[in-house]
Amino acid sequence: MSKPSRPLSLALAALVAAPLACSRTDAERGRDAGAPPAASSSAPAAGPVAGGSAGAPPAAPPAGGSAAAPPAADAGEAPPAVGDPMATHYEAREDLVRLFSLKELTERERRFKNPELFLEKNFGGGTPARINQGNRELARHTRSKEQCLEGLRGVVLQTEEQRARCGGHENMVPVFGSARGKPKPAEFCIDVFEFPNKACELPMVWASPTQAASVCSLQGKRLCTEDEWSLACRADPEGGKPTTYAYGDELDLSVCHTQTRHREIGGKPCDGDTARSAYQTCATDTEPAGSYPACRSRFGVFDQHGNVAEIMTRRDRDDGKLYSQLKGSAWFYVEVAREHDAPRPKKGRETYPDHCAFSPRWHVEPMENAWHANYHLGFRCCATVR
């Protein structure tokens, strides 16, 4: 049995003290890296809007419906620039780390953490051994930052009230359950977008659960638990009935970024046998966060279906220990999609239902030593409401 989890500060100290590649045993083996294991192996006042200062919607789009279209351009106004879809795919470490900010560490915290060294060792393009946006040479993105921002024009991502409730963190919203149709006090906040939690920036991949937990900690946050993630996906802030999916009760592969199939690279299919082979043959065909405005829960959380799968945690009921838990689907979900109430296929390729409450047991590892990472796996952070 694995040893109990160490305090995160100590875990981070251990991370920065040793070369990352030596610890990524699971990532280097690349178990099922080619696809998720199931596939093969009250309303606040309006606040800042997308594209402006920090900005989650006071009310998300109606479940199953579409986000409101942005206002039409004024007569004589030039159309928005189309932009280059590849312009937001960064390789340099400094470009990747500028997408997020770290909390100010106390002198005591700095005894255990060296954020500069951590960023140097854990972020950078060109390799599966560091957190990045995937192999840029293989990736194909179809939506530019400008197009994404145009689609979010007028959408409130976060109100001032929500920001204050979430400890001043940008692009986070408080989430709460209900009892007898009445909202309970919020217990946690969740990032509106997948990390780096910036509107219309590409999500990052090749992060292991242990690394992701450290990244969240350095921002004054933590990884979301499975239950928190599910609540943010399916619950109604007005106390209404939970939905099956973030956007409604019927599976619709056109609402989120879930319809892009794997491509052959150089005439060869994606090879997820190892991290190296996955990086060299599997394209990370993500789109900027928020590119699908209707792919949004009623709390205002985007992309809980599609784009990238996400890392979270789960407390085991038997031994009480904290484990990693992967959840959600990626851009190629169309290849393995199944209705939430449909039976498992008796023959052929495995499929799975990507509904909010789906609880797979993919790459479950003790959080103090959880190193699985791949080309379609990202994460988002949560924070406890004080």
Side-chain angles (χ1 to χ4, degrees):
M1 185 64 67
S2 302
K3 296 180 181 180
S5 300
R6 295 169 291 175
L8 187 55
S9 58
L10 298 181
L12 178 58
L15 265 178
V16 300
L20 179 61
C22 296
S23 302
R24 297 176 66 87
T25 54
D26 188 58
E28 288 302 320
R29 286 195 299 270
R31 290 185 313 198
D32 302 322
S40 60
S41 62
S42 70
V49 298
S53 55
S66 302
D74 294 334
E77 181 181 335
V82 174
D84 178 7
M86 296 301 296
T88 54
H89 195 131
Y90 307 112
E91 289 276 87
R93 180 184 298 111
E94 55 267 28
D95 289 331
L96 293 169
V97 301
R98 70 176 173 77
L99 294 177
F100 62 99
S101 58
L102 305 181
K103 72 173 185 177
E104 186 173 343
L105 299 179
T106 65
E107 182 178 342
R108 187 167 186 269
E109 287 175 320
R110 278 194 167 271
R111 295 176 186 174
F112 298 99
K113 302 178 181 181
N114 184 331
E116 293 78 19
L117 181 58
F118 177 82
L119 297 177
E120 179 181 350
K121 286 183 174 291
N122 289 272
F123 285 84
T127 172
R130 291 187 174 89
I131 303 169
N132 52 57
Q133 297 169 322
N135 189 335
R136 194 180 192 279
E137 294 184 2
L138 308 185
R140 180 186 295 167
H141 312 298
T142 66
R143 304 193 181 193
S144 68
K145 184 173 185 178
E146 291 83 358
Q147 289 172 313
C148 176
L149 288 171
E150 178 66 14
L152 291 177
R153 187 148 59 106
V155 174
V156 178
L157 300 178
Q158 180 190 51
T159 68
E160 291 302 324
E161 181 182 344
Q162 288 172 326
R163 183 163 185 163
R165 190 73 177 115
C166 294
H169 290 296
E170 180 185 31
N171 290 347
M172 294 195 88
V173 291
V175 179
F176 42 86
S178 62
R180 298 179 182 179
K182 296 183 179 180
K184 295 179 179 180
E187 295 183 356
F188 71 96
C189 291
I190 188 170
D191 285 349
V192 170
F193 303 109
E194 293 157 332
F195 180 81
N197 192 31
K198 290 287 187 181
C200 301
E201 298 288 355
L202 293 171
M204 295 192 192
V205 294
W206 290 113
S208 71
T210 300
Q211 289 173 296
S214 294
V215 172
C216 290
S217 177
L218 285 172
Q219 295 179 92
K221 306 176 186 179
R222 55 174 173 77
L223 278 177
C224 303
T225 69
E226 177 187 15
D227 290 342
E228 289 172 337
W229 192 95
S230 296
L231 186 67
C233 181
R234 68 197 302 257
D236 181 6
E238 300 298 326
K241 181 182 177 182
T243 54
T244 304
Y245 305 97
Y247 52 81
D249 288 315
E250 301 296 327
L251 177 64
D252 187 342
L253 296 177
S254 69
V255 176
C256 303
H257 183 31
T258 54
Q259 282 194 315
T260 302
R261 295 178 178 272
H262 281 98
R263 297 179 287 112
E264 289 192 349
I265 305 297
K268 297 181 180 180
C270 170
D271 177 7
D273 186 53
T274 67
R276 185 186 298 273
S277 66
Y279 191 82
Q280 294 175 343
T281 66
C282 303
T284 300
D285 290 341
T286 51
E287 299 293 357
S291 291
Y292 289 74
C295 187
R296 186 184 186 202
S297 77
R298 288 175 288 181
F299 276 102
V301 183
F302 290 79
D303 300 324
Q304 289 186 276
H305 309 289
N307 224 17
V308 294
E310 299 181 32
I311 300 167
M312 56 205 71
T313 64
R314 176 176 57 83
R315 184 74 63 179
D316 191 271
R317 294 181 180 179
D318 294 328
D319 63 20
K321 295 181 179 179
L322 194 65
Y323 289 87
S324 60
Q325 171 72 67
L326 312 189
K327 203 170 157 72
S329 61
W331 63 90
F332 53 83
Y333 179 59
V334 64
E335 299 175 0
V336 292
R338 186 171 89 228
E339 297 279 357
H340 69 95
D341 54 357
R344 295 179 61 175
K346 295 182 179 180
K347 295 181 180 181
R349 188 175 186 180
E350 178 63 280
T351 60
Y352 69 95
D354 183 39
H355 58 83
C356 294
F358 181 56
S359 181
R361 292 295 184 262
W362 297 339
H363 304 289
V364 174
E365 301 170 291
M367 275 302 299
E368 72 269 19
N369 192 31
W371 296 107
H372 174 75
N374 59 39
Y375 72 102
H376 60 77
L377 179 61
F379 65 99
R380 77 176 77 218
C381 306
C382 283
T384 302
V385 171
R386 303 296 181 182

